[in-house]
Amino acid sequence: MPFINSRISVTMTEQQKESLKEQLGEAISIIPGKSEQWLMLEFADNCDLYFQGDNTLPTAFVEIKVFGSIPQNCLDKMTKTVCDIYESCLQIKKDHIYVKYEESSEWGWNGSNF
C-alpha cells in the first residue's frame, strides 16, 4: 500500500507524468513487499516551492508513505533512485529535491483496515 505524493514547482506534461508513473512504479519494488500493483501516485505541479528562500529553480518535495516499515538500506537506495528519476524526467537538480518517508501501521482499503 505505498503512496507517493509529489509537489513540483514546474509544469509537467502528460508525457512527463507518464514517464514518472512508469519509473516510480518500477522503483517502489526497492522496498520489500511493495509493488506497482498497489502503488498510488499524486502529481501536483506548479506548486509555489521556496528552497533556501528562493523559488526560481525547479524544486520537488516527494513523500513516500507505506504500510509497514522500510529497511535503512532500502531508504538510501530509494532516495537515490527517486532523485535520479526526477532529475532525468523534470530536470530538477538533486540538491533541490527533498524525499520524506512515512511508515504506518494503520492503513485502510476497501472498507476495512489492515
Side-chain angles (χ1 to χ4, degrees):
M1 281 30 82
F3 174 65
I4 301 176
N5 180 25
S6 305
R7 292 178 185 90
I8 301 160
S9 66
V10 296
T11 302
M12 296 173 60
T13 66
E14 290 303 315
Q15 183 179 0
Q16 288 171 321
K17 290 177 187 179
E18 184 66 25
S19 180
L20 277 176
K21 178 191 74 77
E22 290 173 8
Q23 292 184 57
L24 291 171
E26 291 175 18
I28 199 64
S29 66
I30 291 170
I31 301 171
K34 306 304 175 197
S35 69
E36 183 178 25
Q37 178 182 356
W38 293 100
L39 178 62
M40 183 180 286
L41 299 168
E42 178 184 27
F43 301 123
D45 61 355
N46 289 316
C47 292
D48 291 329
L49 296 175
Y50 287 78
F51 184 71
Q52 298 176 332
D54 182 20
N55 72 341
T56 61
L57 294 176
T59 304
F61 180 73
V62 182
E63 293 177 290
I64 300 173
K65 302 178 183 194
V66 299
F67 177 69
S69 61
I70 307 169
Q72 183 63 46
N73 66 321
C74 296
L75 291 171
D76 296 338
K77 186 174 181 183
M78 189 68 176
T79 297
K80 180 185 181 331
T81 301
V82 166
C83 288
D84 288 345
I85 290 169
Y86 283 72
E87 186 173 50
S88 70
C89 285
L90 301 174
Q91 292 70 55
I92 300 174
K93 293 183 181 180
K94 294 174 188 175
D95 65 354
H96 276 68
I97 302 170
Y98 275 164
V99 182
K100 176 190 174 218
Y101 295 92
E102 186 175 317
E103 301 167 325
S104 176
S105 61
E106 306 296 328
W107 202 284
W109 171 72
N110 196 23
S112 62
N113 295 309
F114 293 98

